[in-house]
Amino acid sequence: MEYSIEQVLNDSKNKIGLYHYNCHCREIDIPTPNESDIELICPKGKKEWLFKDKSEWIHAFGHEPNEKFLEYLKNKVIENYCLGQYVILKIDNHGVAINVFVDIEGRGEKVNHIYRVNSGWMVFSNGKLKCNTFIGGWTK
């Protein structure tokens, strides 16, 4: 169930809580992550889906849908996550879902183009990000 900020602020009995009903969680400051602190968790099938479903996009960027492109994309995700180039989509019982904004540099005939896409991830503790989708769509 989702609550408005007004409901949370006016919750005098602290039943709604910060993140969920009867929540005892507290916000804490964490240090800004370094790229070396981030670990990507990529469930089985995500890479294959990227190459199957988004291969036309990858070709349009001037890249080949292969391991080299995947490593490039992963590095861009880590870099932009550390720079705070993401938005929180939702917080639910599965965790915190984010869209990382990724600028993909064109190659070949597309060398002077930048393609802005979203990459969907779940944020876990200790600098771990779990892939929901490598390329989810265009960044607005």
Side-chain angles (χ1 to χ4, degrees), residues 19-32:
Y19 298 112
H20 51 83
Y21 193 75
N22 282 328
C23 178
H24 292 42
C25 302
R26 299 288 176 252
E27 282 192 34
I28 59 171
D29 290 331
I30 60 171
T32 302

Side-chain angles (χ1 to χ4, degrees), residues 24-93:
H24 292 42
C25 302
R26 299 288 176 252
E27 282 192 34
I28 59 171
D29 290 331
I30 60 171
T32 302
N34 294 315
E35 291 181 25
S36 61
D37 297 331
I38 305 302
E39 177 185 340
L40 300 182
I41 302 167
C42 302
K44 186 176 178 151
K46 296 295 182 181
K47 173 179 74 169
E48 292 79 11
W49 181 86
L50 171 69
F51 294 152
K52 178 180 175 261
D53 194 63
K54 300 294 183 180
S55 64
E56 288 183 28
W57 286 41
I58 297 168
H59 282 294
F61 304 152
H63 293 265
E64 290 298 320
N66 56 27
E67 292 293 329
K68 184 177 178 181
F69 175 77
L70 182 60
E71 286 308 308
Y72 169 79
L73 182 58
K74 286 179 180 180
N75 288 331
K76 288 294 203 175
V77 165
I78 291 170
E79 175 186 332
N80 289 343
Y81 174 72
C82 290
L83 292 172
Q85 300 297 312
Y86 63 88
V87 293
I88 295 174
L89 297 175
K90 65 181 177 176
I91 301 171
D92 62 17
N93 60 327

